[in-house]
Each structure stands twice: as C-alpha cells, then as structure tokens.
C-alpha cells in the first residue's frame, strides 16, 4: 500500500476535524495527492470542496468519489444542514473517509502546514512582489537546480489554494523548496507564508499591482512584508536597495537583511555590470565569471540580481549561478522577443519581424518597465506597440492607464494600438501628443482581434518591431497565434 502524505491522526489533528459517517476503513486511510477540482481527482486523492462566490464544491463530491477520492473534507455548516446525505454517502462508500472541518480553505492550509513540517531539513525559499515575481522565481529555480534537488511552484500556482496544493508535491528526496507567493486580498501573503514558513525570501518590488484591492502602496508593502515573518536568525531577507519601501521592509527581520541592486558595489555583491545587450539581454560577471542573462530589460537584470544574492547566501558557486542563468528556458509570454515570419497578408506578402510577447500579466510598474525597455531598443524598422487593459487597479485605473498612454506617446513608437475599456484613457492621453498614429478598440473580442491582426499584417514591413503587452485576461496570445507563420519557424 502506498504511504499516505499524512496519517489520519496527523490530518485530523492538523485540521481540528472529526470523522463523520460510518467509515469502516479509517485505519487504512491513505491519500497520496490533494485536489480542489474534482476533475483532478485520481485514486487516493484528498478532495477539498471549496465554497466560492458562485460555486459550492460540495456538489462535486459524488464525482470525486467516482474518480477515486479516498478522503473528503466537508464544511461543518454544510454537513449540519443535511448530515443524512453524508451518512448515506459514507455507508455506500465505506472506503472513503469524510472529515468535517470548520472551513475547507483553512483546513487545506492547515493540512499543508502540517505536511511541510515533516521536512525539517528542507531549505525553504520564497518570492513575492508587485511585479516580476514569477520571472524571478523561474530564474531562482534555474540556479537552485544546479545545487539542489529542487521542488518549485509550477507556473504561478501561488495563491491561497495554489500554494497549499503545491507544497503537497514535496517529497523526501527534495533538498530545497522554492514557492512563489501572490495575493488577491488582504492577509493572503500572511496565510500562505504561515503554510510554508520560508527561511529565505525575495521581494522584487512594491508597486501598484492590486492597489485597487488594498488601497495604497503602504498597505501593499505591509502585506508583502509578511513573507519575512518566519525567517529566523539563520535565514535572510532579500530586498531591492532602490525601492522606496526598502527600509520599511527590513524592519523587524530576525535574520540577515541583504540588499540587492545595480548600485550595490561589486565588493559587496560579487556582481559587475558589463553591457546592456538590448533584445539579447544583459552581460555581467559574478565573482569574475562572465554571465549572459538572455531575458531583456533592466528590470529582468534586477530580478536576476535578487536571485544571485540569494544564491550566494546559500553558498552556491559562481559557476553554478552562471549555469543556472544561461540554461534558463524561454519564459513563454514573459518578455520573450522572437524574430518570426508573418502569415501572408491581403496582398499575399509575408515579412520577417520581431515580436516581444509580454502578455502574461500587466500592472503599471511592469507596463512602464517594458515601455522603457522598448524605448531604448535599436531596431531596423518601425516600432508598433499594442497595449491592453491592466486589470484590478480599482480607483487608480483611469489615472494609471492615462499615464501609460502618455509614456507610450514619447517612447519613439511609430504606431500605438490600445485595446480594452480601461485603455480608452491611454488612447486619449496618447492622441493628445499628436505625433503618431493611434488606434483604439474598446474590447479584445475575437472580432476585434481579427481586425487588429489583419491591419497589422497589412502594415508591417521587414525589420519592424511589435510589442504586445496586456493583462492575461485580455488573451493577447491570440494575436501571436494569428500573425505568426508557425511552419516558417522562429529565431
């Protein structure tokens, strides 16, 4: 029989729950995976049916049993409203253990925290920040893999549910865990930091992302700082030196505070800047060893500096840092610049152009940085920027979209295209410059995307550069899929 991630006693103690129904097989209770989506349930899965704003996962319990669930959490209020349903399910499925808990989300987090405790020797590293955290996590992961058997967050599974589910992938062979922490509400970082309790943590920056949810950058800083709450005297907090909240973030940290940034002296950081390679990335040295970061932009170089500071604190060598950074896989949809051949336009012509696809996430800080990068790029042809809505900005939205439109208008771009309800503010701001061609589409509907692609294909020439930047919810990846001739390949 497979070994359970937690014994029944460990699980019940962690979640303060009680076994319900007539389960006959509780002595053999085994779960080897955890899921909150019944479609992801397989044999011996702990199923946690969450209650959301529009969905109650409890209705999927029968389906989870069919798929092989062996343990199921049931929220107390749901159980007490109709306990006979669960008594009947239990009697029909004696191999399944039902555990009644006060709150399923809290129970998931509590169970995950108990599971992490089973790995006291695991080196625990986390990353958060208003922008760049997933890219930073990927850079850090590539470095850490050179030195450790690593378990890391997949994608951006970094939320109140994503992080607990991720840590259940830790196994005894893992030497280091690297988990990203994001937030969509107050105290989310606090809750998930309590699950993993990182002893080393990087904050990328304190920006305006989620300002609509938390109200101010001060509140964002207070929330992000909670990632440092479990660092002990042997651990370290990594803080961007030039962030205007740097001193605040350092207050009260029990472990070592390490500042990173382009202005930190080589005698302190071991890093020496050599050259900005534009679309090709950045060249620098670590302890005298030349390293090339293929991700373009000064902000990605800053993200790498945070990872290098962390790696050096963990005793990782310059050679391992170089190997990690230079083996970094292309981060799809995150600042990737490719030379592509377009599909044929209405005149039957195709062209070779450069496309910078940065469509995974967008907030004012990230948008400003990518426009700054593209402003400094030297390209053979013209620059075309297609910019979509930045979501979740609340009351700051109109102001920030207007500011981005103004920045884009002085970027040196030849053509600007703004897409989305909020980006009307950007388009209006850009049009006031009167210096360039500005187009606006009120939404990113399939019909509008078709029009954008058709007009773009008729407009571009060999050597042109196209920037695509928007929040993931705008689904700008459709533009790439429609304009690129996949059979022609890419560089």
């Amino acid at each position: 029989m497979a070994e359970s991630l937690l014994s029944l006693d460990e699980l019940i103690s962690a979640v303060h729950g009680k076994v319900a129904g007539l389960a006959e097989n509780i002595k053999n209770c085994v779960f080897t995976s955890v899921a909150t989506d019944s479609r992801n349930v397989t044999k011996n899965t702990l199923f946690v049916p969450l209650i959301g704003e529009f969905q109650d996962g409890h209705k999927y319990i029968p389906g989870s049993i069919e798929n092989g669930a062996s343990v199921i959490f049931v929220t107390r209020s749901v159980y007490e409203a109709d306990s006979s349903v669960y008594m009947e399910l239990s009697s029909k499925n004696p191999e399944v253990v039902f555990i009644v808990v006060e709150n399923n989300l809290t129970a998931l987090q509590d169970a995950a925290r108990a599971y992490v405790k089973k790995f006291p020797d695991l080196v625990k590293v986390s990353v958060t920040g208003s922008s760049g955290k997933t890219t930073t996590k990927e850079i850090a992961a590539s470095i850490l893999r050179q030195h450790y058997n690593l378990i890391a967050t997949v994608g951006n599974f970094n939320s109140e549910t994503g992080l607990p589910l991720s840590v259940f992938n830790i196994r005894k062979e893992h030497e280091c865990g690297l988990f990203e922490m994001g937030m969509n509400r107050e105290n989310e970082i606090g809750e998930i930091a309590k699950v993993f309790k990182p002893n080393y943590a990087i904050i990328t920056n304190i920006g305006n992302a989620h300002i609509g949810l938390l109200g101010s950058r001060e509140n964002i800083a207070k929330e992000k700082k909670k990632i440092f709450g479990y660092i002990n005297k042997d651990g370290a907090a990594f803080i961007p030196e030039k962030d205007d909240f740097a001193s605040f973030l350092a207050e009260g940290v029990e472990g070592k505070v390490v500042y990173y940034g382009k202005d930190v002296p080589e005698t302190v950081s071991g890093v020496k800047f050599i050259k900005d390679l534009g679309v090709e990335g950045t060249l620098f040295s670590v302890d005298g060893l030349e390293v090339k970061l293929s991700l373009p932009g000064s902000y990605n170089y800053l993200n790498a500096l945070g990872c290098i500071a962390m790696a050096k604190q963990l005793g990782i060598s310059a050679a391992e840092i170089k190997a990690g950074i230079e083996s970094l896989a292309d981060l799809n949809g995150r600042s990737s610049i490719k030379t592509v051949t377009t599909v044929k336009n209405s005149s039957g012509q195709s062209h070779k152009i450069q496309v910078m696809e940065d469509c995974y996430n967008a907030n004012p800080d990230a948008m400003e940085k990518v426009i700054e990068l593209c402003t400094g790029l030297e390209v053979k042809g013209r620059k075309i920027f297609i910019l979509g809505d930045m979501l979740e900005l609340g009351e700051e939205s109109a102001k920030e979209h207007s500011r981005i439109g103004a920045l884009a208008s002085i970027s040196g771009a030849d053509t600007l295209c703004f897409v989305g309800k909020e980006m009307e503010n950007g388009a209006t701001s850009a049009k006031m410059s009167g210096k360039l061609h500005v187009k606006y589409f009120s939404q990113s509907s399939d019909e509008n995307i078709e029009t954008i692609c058709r007009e773009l294909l008729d407009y571009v020439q060999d050597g042109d550069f196209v920037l695509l930047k928007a929040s993931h919810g705008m689904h700008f990846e459709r533009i790439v899929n429609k304009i690129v001739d996949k059979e022609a390949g890419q560089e």
Side-chain angles (χ1 to χ4, degrees):
M1 179 182 291
E3 183 179 353
S4 187
L5 297 181
L6 291 168
S7 70
L8 182 59
D9 287 343
E10 288 172 330
L11 184 60
I12 290 174
S13 175
V15 302
H16 309 292
K18 69 171 186 177
V19 175
L22 305 172
E24 299 171 3
N25 218 19
I26 59 174
K27 289 184 179 180
N28 297 319
C29 170
V30 170
F31 70 96
T32 55
S33 64
V34 183
T36 57
D37 186 331
S38 61
R39 293 168 296 185
N40 296 332
V41 170
T42 57
K43 183 181 179 182
N44 290 337
T45 294
L46 163 60
F47 177 54
V48 184
L50 300 175
I51 300 175
E53 187 176 353
F54 304 108
Q55 283 270 27
D56 183 349
H58 290 80
K59 71 179 182 180
Y60 299 107
I61 287 177
S64 75
I65 294 173
E66 288 180 15
N67 289 341
S70 56
V71 185
I72 297 173
F73 286 167
V74 182
T75 299
R76 186 180 306 281
S77 60
V78 175
Y79 178 79
E80 291 178 349
D82 197 350
S83 60
S84 61
V85 170
Y86 298 96
M87 293 294 285
E88 183 178 354
L89 278 171
S90 179
S91 63
K92 289 182 178 179
N93 302 279
E95 72 284 1
V96 179
V97 179
F98 292 85
I99 300 178
V100 178
V101 298
E102 199 62 39
N103 177 287
N104 274 357
L105 174 59
T106 302
L108 170 63
Q109 294 173 348
D110 289 344
R113 183 167 67 254
Y115 183 69
V116 172
K117 282 183 181 178
K118 295 170 75 78
F119 305 92
D121 296 328
L122 187 75
V123 176
K124 296 185 288 185
V125 184
S126 283
V127 177
T128 194
S130 293
S131 60
K133 57 184 173 292
T134 301
T135 300
T136 302
K137 182 262 299 181
E138 294 294 345
I139 297 171
S142 194
I143 294 171
L144 290 169
R145 286 193 183 99
Q146 310 303 313
H147 192 81
Y148 295 108
N149 186 329
L150 179 73
I151 177 71
T153 307
V154 176
N156 68 330
F157 234 46
N158 60 14
S159 66
E160 60 187 2
T161 56
L163 182 129
L165 290 174
S166 292
V167 302
F168 276 112
N169 292 318
I170 300 170
R171 297 294 182 266
K172 60 185 178 181
E173 64 267 22
H174 293 131
E175 301 166 316
C176 179
L178 170 64
F179 292 93
E180 179 184 332
M181 297 188 182
M183 68 175 187
N184 287 297
R185 60 171 175 80
E186 187 177 358
N187 200 40
E188 188 165 2
I189 294 287
E191 288 179 11
I192 58 181
K194 187 179 179 182
V195 169
F196 185 56
K197 297 183 178 178
N199 204 29
Y200 301 87
I202 302 171
I203 291 181
T204 61
N205 59 1
I206 303 299
N208 290 318
H210 306 305
I211 200 165
L213 300 169
L214 295 181
S216 70
R217 289 183 68 226
E218 287 77 10
N219 288 340
I220 292 169
K222 289 176 185 176
E223 183 63 26
K224 296 292 186 183
K225 184 178 177 176
K226 292 175 183 176
I227 199 172
F228 294 156
Y230 298 93
I231 293 174
N232 62 31
K233 59 182 176 59
D234 299 319
F238 304 92
I239 299 171
E241 181 196 36
K242 291 298 185 183
D243 195 284
D244 48 0
F245 284 91
S247 296
F248 170 76
L249 295 174
E251 290 175 5
V253 174
E254 185 177 335
K256 184 175 183 180
V257 173
V258 179
Y259 293 102
Y260 66 91
K262 289 172 276 189
D263 293 333
V264 175
E266 182 184 2
T267 53
V268 175
S269 67
V271 180
K272 181 181 179 180
F273 173 81
I274 298 175
K275 187 178 182 182
D276 185 337
L277 302 174
V279 296
E280 300 296 324
T282 304
L283 194 66
F284 58 96
S285 65
V286 179
D287 295 342
L289 192 63
E290 192 172 284
V291 181
K292 180 185 174 184
L293 172 69
S294 60
L295 297 175
S298 59
Y299 53 95
N300 280 321
Y301 177 51
L302 180 61
N303 293 336
L305 290 175
C307 298
I308 293 166
M310 175 271 299
K312 290 178 73 68
Q313 193 64 33
L314 288 171
I316 297 175
S317 70
E320 289 169 317
I321 291 170
K322 174 182 170 69
I325 289 176
E326 294 189 345
S327 65
L328 190 65
D330 178 40
L331 304 179
N332 190 34
R334 295 174 183 273
S335 300
S336 55
I337 299 178
K338 302 181 178 72
T339 299
V340 302
T341 301
T342 66
V343 296
K344 291 180 180 179
N345 60 18
S346 60
S347 301
Q349 298 175 315
S350 61
H351 297 282
K352 272 201 169 185
I353 63 172
Q354 285 185 313
V355 176
M356 180 171 187
E357 181 187 359
D358 200 342
C359 311
Y360 186 82
N361 199 2
N363 56 61
D365 307 292
M367 188 75 81
E368 181 178 348
K369 287 171 181 174
V370 80
I371 290 173
E372 177 187 334
L373 165 66
C374 293
T375 299
L377 287 180
E378 292 184 10
V379 300
K380 293 179 181 178
R382 300 162 299 173
K383 294 179 182 178
I384 302 105
F385 293 0
I386 304 177
L387 308 177
D389 279 354
M390 301 177 288
L391 305 178
E392 298 179 349
L393 296 185
E395 293 178 357
E396 299 289 316
S397 186
K399 182 183 78 174
E400 291 296 342
H401 282 85
S402 294
R403 186 175 68 85
I404 292 303
L407 285 173
S409 72
I410 59 173
S411 66
D414 297 275
T415 298
L416 297 177
C417 177
F418 296 91
V419 185
K421 179 182 175 183
E422 300 300 324
M423 267 303 178
E424 182 176 6
N425 297 287
T428 300
S429 181
K431 285 176 181 176
M432 291 175 66
S433 72
K435 295 180 181 178
L436 69 173
H437 184 52
V438 178
K439 296 212 69 170
Y440 172 65
F441 294 84
S442 61
Q443 55 181 315
S444 60
S445 63
D446 287 343
E447 182 180 356
N448 283 349
I449 293 295
E450 286 280 359
T451 301
I452 291 167
C453 292
R454 184 174 62 253
E455 293 184 359
L456 180 64
L457 289 168
D458 284 340
Y459 178 74
V460 295
Q461 300 170 0
D462 285 341
D464 283 354
F465 172 87
V466 178
L467 165 66
L468 302 171
K469 178 69 176 174
S471 284
H472 188 55
M474 300 297 285
H475 298 295
F476 268 22
E477 66 275 5
R478 290 174 294 170
I479 299 174
V480 178
N481 292 336
K482 288 180 182 296
I483 69 170
V484 175
D485 184 348
K486 296 179 177 61
E487 293 184 4
Q490 60 188 29
E491 297 173 18

